[in-house]
């Protein structure tokens, strides 16, 4: 249906695409492209992820299938919402439409590190973490492991009814782990290496939701210190999951793992055959406290160290973490993570997502035919983050040439439509003290904020309309 | 949800029995009878099974594929969606969903092998990779992108364990396999189908499980009704010595020719 597509591009779009006004391209990965669009009807923002037909002649990529399959089943305030799926039978491309999220943790952290030079306020850190755990607890209790949690996959909603609400995105690597058909370990490597759990690095063949909790621990530390906790250099050449440098980075912070603390350690392949002498190398036990900014006796530190527990069986679960003392003391976590609890506190204006307004839905501007495309079936670890957010294969500062910042004012004028599940999150009780008035005030502040222009003085004035 | 049947799309998608075995308008216009419609679905389920043996996928993948096939025909006509192409495509899609991807070219290779040297009518079973890939997208659409399917196998094993009658596993498992020749998976929760199979197995093997069944918090009338349906189905199908369903090939071909796209 609605395949009436001529080769033209922007004008003669398939019928189903006409319900969207394209704003521009916001991301790109091996799987395809991500666009920002507005629904013609409700004027709300939608992120459209376009999957290319895999070159290998193997149809819809397994990544897309997994994402559709899981997101068609999930419904939670802290999990990204798949609002539509479209198929273009002419070029066999597949489009997933999501509620658009303006921010992600990668950009939020980067903004603090590079522009503001001050840490993220405690309320925001705690609210972001609480909501991330809340979404993760939902996934885990439904036997879904995300497997690729990293700051760029944790989205945060922009202005609107869901302002400051965390959405876990990018389910391209996620799995249902109840009765797996084959061991979850595959040839492909899973999870960006900085957030990869030690049991995976040591070659564990069967693993659990604990790998997600390790990633959350790394993200928590990064929210506190603004820099990745374990920045290992990936050994790309090796097809195996053994990453010596990443393990080295972890051991330097947390000390050497011991079979006493982690009994099943001795069964892990790379510990066992130990060709790299990881057993013998001695690490001074530096202690995590030297690397993070929170006091060693604080609940925050306690929670963090429980997430970064070596033994996956002892590692804190999402459900347990939500009950941790850290979340019961002031400031209490809230639904709008971006609005500080203290009335007098400064509100941070995060930059809107860069939008390349020169691209069209076919991606004719952005995608060069010669672009190397690794197949959708390739080892999953090589698939760059297939999230609604712009993806990065490595969370390093990326500057996409030709990308422009959307002027902030333009973005705040339309509201993200309210959606189902606007009530309090399903488990736990977040106090929601901030009313609409505060939000309106905050929006106003945003509009006045000149920081956008100052950060990026060179951005062009014109905005192309589609 | 993905692991909780009661919050899953599978549960929400369960259909009323009278919504399932309905010949689509287009097919009706071509003269396809309800009987023929059923025969084609049984035949295609068996074809999926046969093809799966070649490509070596797990039971679960087969079950998911057949469920897809049956779901498709609650919404789409066989005239527009050629069963001979939909069947292998469902197996292809199911293999991806169940994490044991079978390459399309391998599937095409085995389809050709399966029907090699057979009669001329079998040529209609031969497709190219491109056909499967195009149909994959159409099937995805027809399924409304709901891909997670629950099956009776897991509850079956748990229930047999609980009842302490694991010696009936083989019989009951075989009965569950047989239920995929029917549309039960579109109508009833998988654990109810599992219970019906256990019920029949008990009758066949002379085991008295009345107390155990009574202690379960399920509506035994539904379990008995499902059991009756399964038994009626067995009576309806003539079985050969190995318990395989015998469908006269000419009847299948006559039915398939009615809905064949080309005149």
């Amino acid at each position: 249906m609605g395949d009436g597509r001529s080769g033209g591009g922007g004008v003669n779009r398939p019928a189903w695409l006409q319900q969207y006004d394209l704003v521009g391209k916001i991301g790109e990965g091996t799987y395809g492209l991500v666009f920002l669009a507005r629904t013609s009807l409700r004027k709300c923002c939608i992120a459209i992820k376009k999957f290319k037909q895999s070159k290998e002649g193997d149809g819809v990529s397994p990544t897309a299938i997994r994402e559709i399959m899981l997101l068609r089943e999930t419904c939670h305030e802290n999990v990204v919402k798949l609002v539509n799926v479209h198929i273009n039978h002419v070029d066999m491309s597949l489009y997933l439409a999501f509620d658009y999220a303006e921010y992600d943790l990668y950009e939020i952290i980067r903004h603090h590190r590079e522009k503001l030079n001050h840490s993220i306020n405690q309320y925001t850190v705690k609210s972001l973490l609480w909501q991330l755990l809340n979404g993760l607890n939902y996934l885990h209790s439904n036997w879904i492991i995300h497997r690729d949690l990293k700051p760029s996959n944790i989205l945060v909603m922009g202005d609107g009814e869901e302002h400051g609400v965390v959405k876990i995105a990018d389910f391209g690597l996620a799995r249902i782990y109840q009765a797996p058909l084959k061991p979850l370990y595959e040839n492909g490597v899973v999870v960006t290496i900085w957030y990869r759990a030690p049991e995976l690095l040591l070659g564990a063949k069967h693993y659990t939701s604990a790998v997600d909790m390790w990633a959350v621990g790394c993200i928590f530390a990064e929210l506190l210190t603004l820099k990745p906790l374990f920045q290992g250099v990936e050994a790309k050449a090796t097809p195996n999951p053994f990453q010596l440098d990443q393990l080295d980075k972890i051991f330097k912070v947390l000390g050497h793992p011991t079979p006493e603390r982690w009994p099943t350690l001795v069964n892990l392949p790379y510990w066992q055959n130990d060709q790299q002498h990881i057993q013998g190398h001695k690490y001074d036990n530096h202690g995590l406290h030297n690397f993070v900014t929170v006091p060693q006796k604080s609940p925050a530190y306690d929670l963090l160290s429980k997430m970064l527990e070596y033994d996956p069986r002892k590692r804190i679960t999402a459900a347990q973490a939500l009950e941790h003392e850290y979340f019961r003391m002031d400031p209490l976590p809230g639904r709008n993570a971006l609005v500080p609890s203290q009335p007098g506190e400064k509100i941070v204006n995060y930059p809107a997502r860069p939008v390349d307004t020169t691209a069209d839905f076919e991606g004719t501007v952005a995608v060069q035919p010669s672009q190397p495309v690794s197949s959708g079936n390739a080892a999953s670890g090589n698939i760059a983050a297939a999230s609604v957010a712009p993806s990065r294969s490595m969370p390093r500062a990326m500057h996409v040439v030709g990308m422009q910042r959307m002027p902030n004012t333009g973005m705040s004028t339309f509201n993200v439509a309210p959606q189902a599940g606007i009530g309090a999150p399903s488990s736990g009780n977040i106090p929601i003290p901030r009313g609409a008035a505060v939000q309106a005030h905050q929006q106003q502040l945003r509009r006045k904020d000149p920081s956008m222009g100052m950060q990026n003085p060179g951005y062009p004035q014109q905005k192309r309309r589609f | 949800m993905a692991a909780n049947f009661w919050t899953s799309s599978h549960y929400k998608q369960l259909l009323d029995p009278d919504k399932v075995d309905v010949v689509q308008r287009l097919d009706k216009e071509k003269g396809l009878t309800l009987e023929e419609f059923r025969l084609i679905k049984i035949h295609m389920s068996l074809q999926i099974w046969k093809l799966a043996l070649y490509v070596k996928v797990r039971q679960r993948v087969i079950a998911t594929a057949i469920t897809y096939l049956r779901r498709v025909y609650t919404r789409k006509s066989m005239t527009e969606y050629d069963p001979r192409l939909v069947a292998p495509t469902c197996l292809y899609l199911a293999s991806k969903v169940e994490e044991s991807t079978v390459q399309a070219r391998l599937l095409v290779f085995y389809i050709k092998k399966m029907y090699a040297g057979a009669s001329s009518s079998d040529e209609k079973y031969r497709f190219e990779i491109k056909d499967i890939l195009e149909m994959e997208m159409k099937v995805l659409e027809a399924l409304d992108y709901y891909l997670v399917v629950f099956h009776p196998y897991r509850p079956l094993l748990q229930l047999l364990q609980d009842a302490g009658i694991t010696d009936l596993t083989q019989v009951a498992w075989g009965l569950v396999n047989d239920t995929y020749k029917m549309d039960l998976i579109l109508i009833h929760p998988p654990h109810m189908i599992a219970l019906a199979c256990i019920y029949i197995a008990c009758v066949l093997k002379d085991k008295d499980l009345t107390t155990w069944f009574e202690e379960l918090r399920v509506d035994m009338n539904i379990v008995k009704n499902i059991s009756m349906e399964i038994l009626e189905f067995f009576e309806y199908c003539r079985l050969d010595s190995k318990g395989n369903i015998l469908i006269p090939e000419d009847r299948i071909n006559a039915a398939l020719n009615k809905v064949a796209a080309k005149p």
Side-chain angles (χ1 to χ4, degrees):
Chain A
M1 229 173 55
D3 298 331
R5 226 182 59 131
S6 70
V11 188
N12 294 315
R13 282 185 279 124
W16 64 263
L17 261 185
Q18 278 163 26
Q19 62 175 303
Y20 301 117
D21 296 326
L22 178 70
V23 181
K25 191 184 80 173
I26 50 175
E28 178 167 359
T30 47
Y31 58 87
L33 303 163
V34 186
F35 301 99
L36 172 61
R38 256 171 280 165
T39 55
S40 315
L41 227 61
R42 294 190 303 164
K43 290 290 171 209
C44 62
C45 277
I46 294 289
I48 299 178
K49 195 156 149 183
K50 178 183 180 179
F51 285 89
K52 288 177 278 200
Q53 176 79 341
S54 85
K55 291 262 160 65
E56 251 75 316
D58 247 315
V60 182
S61 82
T63 311
I65 295 275
R66 274 194 290 274
E67 188 147 35
I68 294 170
M69 168 180 85
L70 292 172
L71 292 178
R72 209 72 178 105
E73 303 289 320
T74 51
C75 177
H76 189 270
E77 182 171 44
N78 299 120
V79 174
V80 76
K81 191 182 167 203
L82 179 65
V83 291
N84 235 323
V85 184
H86 296 289
I87 282 176
N88 183 348
H89 293 286
V90 175
D91 69 354
M92 309 258 289
S93 54
L94 181 76
Y95 297 80
L96 307 191
F98 298 91
D99 275 346
Y100 176 66
E102 186 66 78
Y103 315 110
D104 59 62
L105 294 195
Y106 177 85
E107 289 298 338
I108 288 173
I109 291 166
R110 190 166 77 121
H111 186 66
H112 278 268
R113 186 182 60 233
E114 291 174 10
K115 305 285 180 214
L116 303 176
N117 291 313
H118 66 74
S119 57
I120 306 173
N121 80 62
Q122 276 190 61
Y123 164 80
T124 297
V125 171
K126 194 180 285 186
S127 304
L128 292 172
L129 186 68
W130 195 92
Q131 294 187 44
L132 168 57
L133 287 165
N134 195 33
L136 202 57
N137 181 39
Y138 168 79
L139 294 174
H140 288 174
S141 56
N142 284 289
W143 301 88
I144 294 173
I145 316 183
H146 186 284
R147 307 203 309 176
D148 196 21
L149 288 177
K150 54 186 170 186
S152 58
N153 285 344
I154 317 295
L155 311 182
V156 183
M157 298 299 280
D159 280 347
E161 194 283 324
E162 288 201 293
H163 189 209
V165 172
V166 169
K167 304 278 175 186
I168 300 174
D170 193 348
F171 286 74
L173 292 180
R175 290 286 194 287
I176 300 173
Y177 66 103
Q178 189 187 38
L181 279 179
K182 52 182 180 183
L184 284 168
Y185 166 81
E186 292 173 333
N187 306 328
V189 192
V190 164
V191 181
T192 318
I193 100 166
W194 292 354
Y195 308 93
R196 198 178 295 169
E199 62 270 28
L200 290 177
L201 296 165
L202 288 167
K205 285 188 171 58
H206 297 271
Y207 54 87
T208 62
S209 54
V211 300
D212 284 342
M213 289 307 293
W214 178 273
V216 173
C218 298
I219 294 168
F220 184 19
E222 196 167 330
L223 284 168
L224 294 170
T225 65
L226 305 180
K227 61 171 195 276
L229 184 58
F230 309 120
Q231 297 188 61
V233 178
E234 189 160 5
K236 295 261 187 197
T238 52
N240 64 46
F242 182 71
Q243 295 286 345
L244 185 61
D245 192 57
Q246 184 64 24
L247 282 169
D248 179 62
K249 295 291 191 298
I250 295 171
F251 295 170
K252 274 179 182 152
V253 175
L254 299 175
H256 216 274
T258 59
E260 288 76 44
R261 267 183 69 191
W262 183 3
T264 52
L265 174 67
V266 293
N267 303 327
L268 294 172
Y270 298 113
W271 182 266
Q272 238 171 23
N273 54 19
D274 192 32
Q275 284 166 8
Q276 313 279 344
H277 307 296
I278 45 168
Q279 284 189 40
H281 193 288
K282 285 285 164 264
Y283 291 89
D284 296 329
N285 199 341
H286 277 285
L288 183 59
H289 58 275
N290 293 322
F291 295 87
V292 290
T293 44
V294 287
Q296 211 174 339
K297 291 213 171 79
S298 66
Y301 183 86
D302 183 68
L303 177 58
L304 177 64
S305 58
K306 284 175 171 151
M307 290 171 170
L308 298 175
E309 168 63 51
Y310 273 127
D311 188 343
R313 291 188 299 185
K314 293 182 193 155
R315 203 171 297 151
I316 196 167
T317 65
Q320 290 163 350
L322 287 168
E323 299 297 318
H324 194 271
E325 191 194 343
Y326 173 61
F327 293 115
R328 295 187 203 176
M329 47 182 271
D330 271 346
L332 291 174
R335 184 172 184 263
N336 184 342
L338 301 182
V339 177
S341 54
Q342 308 300 319
E345 233 172 294
K346 200 170 158 277
I347 290 161
V348 177
N349 296 282
Y350 295 104
R353 205 175 283 291
V355 180
D356 174 5
T357 52
T358 60
D360 65 19
F361 266 126
E362 276 81 56
T364 41
V365 174
V367 180
Q368 305 305 318
S370 61
Q371 190 194 23
V373 177
S374 73
S375 118
N377 297 332
S380 40
N382 295 333
I383 296 170
S387 82
V388 183
S391 359
R392 299 132 195 134
S393 48
M394 214 37 183
R396 288 241 172 75
M398 56 125 213
H399 219 81
V400 184
V401 181
M403 278 218 173
Q404 305 148 13
R405 296 249 155 201
M406 278 283 286
N408 224 7
T409 45
M411 296 309 297
S412 51
T413 46
F414 34 80
N415 288 320
V416 175
Q419 45 168 281
I422 47 172
S426 54
S427 76
N429 41 347
I430 298 189
I432 307 174
R434 287 156 296 278
V438 184
Q439 242 181 46
H441 172 65
Q442 204 259 348
Q443 281 187 18
Q444 235 174 20
L445 279 179
R446 260 186 78 145
R447 277 197 201 97
K448 282 182 204 149
D449 180 66
S451 64
M452 284 303 306
M454 283 159 65
Q455 277 168 36
N456 213 338
Y459 76 82
Q461 290 298 310
Q462 91 290 351
K463 260 195 296 172
R464 264 180 66 185
R465 294 270 167 216
F466 290 85
Chain B
M1 242 302 262
N4 178 355
F5 176 74
W6 302 109
T7 56
S8 70
S9 65
H10 183 160
Y11 175 64
K12 289 170 201 145
Q13 299 258 302
L14 286 183
L15 293 165
D16 227 42
D18 53 321
K19 294 251 168 56
V20 172
D21 231 356
V22 183
V23 182
Q24 299 289 321
R25 190 183 49 80
L26 260 175
D27 296 343
K28 219 180 259 174
E29 284 169 7
K30 299 222 169 179
L32 191 75
T33 65
L34 180 59
E35 170 104 16
E36 287 172 321
F37 180 58
R38 280 187 191 149
L39 276 180
I40 293 176
K41 286 193 286 184
I42 295 171
H43 178 68
M44 287 305 157
S45 306
L46 294 172
Q47 294 303 308
I48 290 178
W49 217 283
K50 249 163 101 181
L51 183 56
L53 292 180
Y54 277 99
V55 295
K56 294 187 179 63
V57 287
R58 300 262 307 250
Q59 192 91 71
R60 207 189 144 76
V61 182
I62 302 172
T64 298
I66 296 175
T67 308
Y68 289 168
L69 177 98
R70 293 179 175 278
R71 276 190 188 171
V72 167
Y73 291 117
T74 61
R75 295 175 182 145
K76 302 291 181 188
S77 70
M78 291 182 167
T79 306
E80 291 168 294
Y81 289 71
D82 185 347
R84 284 168 287 212
L85 176 55
V86 172
T89 307
C90 287
L91 185 63
Y92 178 58
L93 181 60
S95 77
K96 282 187 190 173
V97 169
E98 302 287 356
E99 300 286 345
S100 42
T101 304
V102 177
Q103 287 181 328
R105 58 170 184 83
L106 212 65
L107 214 55
V108 168
F109 173 79
Y110 282 117
I111 294 169
K112 285 183 176 156
K113 202 171 163 185
M114 247 171 84
Y115 298 104
S119 63
S120 65
S121 68
D122 284 347
E123 270 174 30
K124 292 192 176 115
Y125 284 88
R126 291 185 200 151
F127 296 98
E128 299 305 321
I129 296 174
K130 179 177 132 296
D131 302 316
I132 298 218
L133 301 188
E134 276 173 22
M135 186 50 87
E136 182 190 25
M137 294 206 149
K138 288 176 77 178
V139 166
L140 264 176
E141 221 170 30
L143 295 172
D144 202 10
Y145 310 102
Y146 289 116
L147 300 175
V148 174
V149 181
F150 289 75
H151 297 291
Y153 298 104
R154 196 204 315 262
L156 178 80
L157 296 180
Q158 288 166 346
L159 290 164
L160 288 169
Q161 193 97 50
D162 185 67
I165 45 164
T166 46
D167 51 317
L168 290 192
T169 305
Q170 215 185 343
V171 182
W173 187 278
L175 287 165
V176 169
N177 284 349
D178 286 334
T179 63
Y180 285 91
K181 289 156 194 155
M182 314 164 65
D183 279 317
L184 290 176
I185 193 73
L186 306 189
I187 302 165
H188 302 285
H191 69 275
M192 294 300 274
I193 299 173
L195 281 172
C197 292
I198 294 175
Y199 187 76
I200 298 172
C202 286
V203 174
L204 290 174
K205 296 284 168 186
D206 244 349
K207 286 228 176 180
D208 184 19
L209 269 191
T210 322
T211 352
W212 181 76
F213 272 114
E214 273 168 6
E215 280 168 7
L216 292 173
R217 281 198 213 137
V218 292
D219 187 342
M220 269 316 278
N221 286 327
I222 299 176
V223 174
K224 284 176 187 167
N225 284 340
I226 300 172
S227 310
M228 287 306 292
E229 260 188 83
I230 297 172
L231 292 172
E232 274 167 30
F233 177 78
F234 287 158
E235 260 174 53
Y236 165 81
C237 302
R238 282 174 302 144
L239 304 178
D240 71 6
S241 56
K242 279 181 251 161
N244 292 320
I245 295 176
L246 278 180
I247 309 170
E249 204 173 313
D250 50 336
R251 283 191 69 193
I252 287 293
N253 287 334
L256 283 169
N257 283 339
K258 282 188 185 176
V259 291
K262 280 154 221 132

